[in-house]
């Protein structure tokens, strides 16, 4: 199962016992004609959040899309749709983390009126609705990252008719994971689609 494979890999990473699968010359040659990733990961661009490392995966296992604050634009939506509809990935993961700079900047904009310049402002503006939603729900700053993960999952499904249809038909599952920088663990924040009580998603 796709989700189980990610969780198992993360457990190995946390324990300091990674297997580094699918990272040898044979795997490289095997993938030369084409790829068949089992999951697409939309993660924050933070340098501490390398998906293949924290989930102990290798070449060809994950189709990774990264933006600051895992914000969603047309390019992200197209990349996710390509991974599920063309490459056959059955799991979409939104990967956020604590101490996220984009979330902190958006919080500063909402609560303290702070501003940023350049194209960083665009990133902050895309995160700001998550901060507003958290406050509207009575959540404190400690819950901002989780709320932004939930909002990103909802946004993917709201904006991508293809992805929402794949989820409705049981072909794809979408999960939101929160990563803890200090201990390296990833925990489930939200999910859409078929995930069993045991935490497994359909492969």
């Amino acid at each position: 199962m796709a989700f189980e494979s990610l969780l198992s890999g993360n457990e190995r990473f946390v324990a300091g016992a990674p297997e580094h699968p699918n990272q040898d010359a044979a795997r490289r040659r095997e993938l030369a004609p084409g790829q068949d990733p089992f999951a697409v990961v939309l993660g924050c661009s933070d340098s501490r959040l390398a998906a293949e490392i924290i989930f102990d995966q290798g070449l060809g296992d994950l189709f990774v899309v990264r933006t600051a604050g895992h914000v969603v634009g047309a390019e992200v939506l197209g990349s996710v749709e390509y991974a599920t509809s063309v490459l056959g990935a059955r799991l979409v993961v939104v990967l956020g983390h604590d101490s996220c700079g984009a979330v902190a900047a958006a919080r500063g904009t909402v609560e303290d009126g702070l501003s940023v310049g350049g194209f960083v402002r665009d990133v902050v503006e895309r995160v700001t609705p998550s901060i507003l939603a958290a406050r509207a729900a009575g959540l404190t700053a400690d819950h901002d990252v989780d709320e932004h993960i939930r909002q990103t999952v909802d946004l993917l499904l709201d904006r991508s008719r293809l992805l929402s249809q794949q989820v409705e038909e049981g072909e794809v599952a979408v999960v939101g994971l929160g990563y803890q920088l200090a201990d390296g663990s990833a925990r489930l924040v939200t999910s859409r689609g078929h995930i069993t009580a045991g935490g497994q998603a359909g492969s």
Side-chain angles (χ1 to χ4, degrees), residues 9-157:
N10 182 242
E11 289 173 359
R12 294 193 300 271
F13 173 70
V14 171
E19 296 177 355
H20 304 294
N22 297 329
Q23 297 182 22
D24 57 11
R27 176 65 167 176
R28 185 180 68 232
R29 289 190 296 270
E30 175 189 348
L31 289 171
Q35 58 176 319
D36 182 29
F38 68 81
V40 51
V41 178
L42 167 57
C44 181
S45 296
D46 192 294
S47 61
R48 301 163 290 182
L49 203 68
E52 289 91 348
I53 295 176
I54 68 175
F55 293 119
D56 193 27
Q57 302 299 319
L59 295 172
D61 293 330
L62 305 178
F63 188 88
V64 181
V65 183
R66 298 177 70 177
T67 61
H70 51 81
V71 298
V72 176
E75 299 86 352
V76 168
L77 290 167
S79 297
V80 172
E81 289 184 349
Y82 175 76
T84 60
S85 63
V86 178
L87 300 181
R90 300 296 84 187
L91 178 68
V92 176
V93 178
V94 173
L95 180 63
H97 65 97
D98 57 348
S99 301
C100 178
V103 170
R107 184 189 307 122
T109 297
V110 170
E111 298 181 349
D112 303 318
L114 301 177
S115 62
V116 294
F119 286 101
V120 177
R121 178 183 302 173
D122 183 67
V123 173
V124 172
E125 288 176 349
R126 294 185 191 213
V127 179
T128 297
S130 297
I131 305 301
L132 296 174
R135 295 301 170 273
L139 301 176
T140 64
D142 292 338
H143 299 279
D144 285 347
V145 169
D146 283 4
E147 183 60 26
H148 183 45
I149 292 169
R150 286 189 287 266
Q151 291 287 327
T152 303
V153 168
D154 290 343
L155 186 61
L156 284 175
L157 294 171

